[in-house]
Amino acid sequence: ALLKGDKLADVVRAATELGAARVQLLVTRHADAREIGAQKLTRLRRVAEEASKQSRRAVTPQVLDPVPLADLSWEGQLFVAQPGSRERLTGHLTWDRPVTVLTGPEGGLSDAEVAALTARGAVAVTLGPRILRAETAPVALLGAIVATGV
């Protein structure tokens, strides 16, 4: 989800280092940021390029223009970080299909947003007993996936 300030740069950098193929920016109900300027989007793409070089990746992940959450499409599995969920990533993750992760903005995703995603096949998963910051949650979820595949 779109985040305030320069937090997205940290998320894009870490996601690139952890092997993300694509970063789809999303506009969600609770997002304080409702849009992103062309300069900021260009900067995020440059951050991805620099992180790719630093982590010796052959391919730089795409950083895509923001879309409304309702317009999000994905292939394979979608895991939504949702505080209070009892589902664990390890109980659902398989390596036979692509994996997409989704985390919310400051304030999280609304219950209606999570319900709409799960109705479309997403799995809401816990990231543990603590509430994580919006810029920490995607890194934690990607890290858990990478660690599972090791």
Side-chain angles (χ1 to χ4, degrees):
L2 292 179
L3 304 177
K4 295 185 291 187
D6 203 33
K7 296 173 184 175
L8 277 176
D10 294 335
V11 172
V12 168
R13 183 177 300 107
T16 300
E17 292 173 4
L18 288 166
R22 181 173 37 258
V23 177
Q24 174 64 68
L25 303 175
L26 297 171
V27 178
T28 61
R29 181 174 180 203
H30 295 297
D32 289 330
R34 307 299 301 169
E35 57 188 36
I36 187 170
Q39 287 181 326
K40 189 168 186 177
L41 191 57
T42 298
R43 182 175 181 285
L44 291 174
R45 290 173 175 152
R46 191 171 52 247
V47 166
E49 288 176 28
E50 292 167 0
S52 290
K53 290 176 186 174
Q54 183 275 328
S55 60
R56 296 185 180 152
R57 286 192 59 174
V59 177
T60 299
Q62 297 175 294
V63 179
L64 303 172
D65 293 336
V67 298
L69 181 59
D71 294 345
L72 176 67
S73 62
W74 67 89
E75 293 179 35
Q77 307 160 88
L78 173 63
F79 296 105
V80 180
Q82 182 64 6
S85 173
R86 294 178 187 261
E87 300 297 322
R88 295 182 175 271
L89 177 68
T90 54
H92 297 278
L93 178 64
T94 63
W95 294 106
D96 61 344
R97 298 180 293 150
V99 176
T100 300
V101 301
L102 191 154
T103 60
E106 295 90 347
L109 297 169
S110 72
D111 291 340
E113 288 173 322
V114 174
L117 290 166
T118 57
R120 293 173 52 203
V123 179
V125 295
T126 182
L127 295 178
R130 292 170 189 79
I131 302 296
L132 301 179
R133 295 180 64 91
E135 66 272 22
T136 305
V139 178
L141 188 50
L142 285 169
I145 289 169
V146 170
T148 302
V150 174

